[in-house]
Amino acid sequence: AVPAAAPSVPSQPVAAPVIDDKQWFYRDPQNTIQGPFSSADMERWFAAGYFTVHLPVKRYGETQFSTIQQLIK
């Protein structure tokens, strides 16, 4: 007997939407630069309330920090 065909599975796993795959840094309240972290981690932590919109962040390769609020606009 021939086994039943397996259900078709997408070749790529379906992931939660992510802004991009860049690496991010942030400046903590003690003025220490933390990172790099993935966009997915940063989004998850922001959604969980660990960061405010006033947190200074920058992407890898950038020299200036911007607040999350500035980036959302």
Side-chain angles (χ1 to χ4, degrees):
V2 177
S8 66
V9 180
S11 59
Q12 294 293 322
V14 178
V18 173
I19 294 171
D20 54 39
D21 60 357
K22 293 190 184 311
Q23 296 292 294
W24 292 83
F25 297 84
Y26 70 88
R27 189 181 300 132
D28 70 17
Q30 291 72 41
N31 214 31
T32 303
I33 297 173
Q34 305 288 342
F37 301 106
S38 70
S39 295
D41 282 342
M42 295 292 285
E43 287 180 8
R44 195 165 41 249
W45 296 333
F46 180 73
Y50 292 118
F51 301 148
T52 72
V53 294
H54 304 292
L55 182 77
V57 297
K58 70 174 185 146
R59 285 178 279 251
Y60 181 82
E62 293 180 341
T63 56
Q64 301 257 348
F65 281 86
S66 301
T67 65
I68 292 175
Q69 185 175 46
Q70 289 170 315
L71 295 176
I72 292 172
K73 288 183 179 177

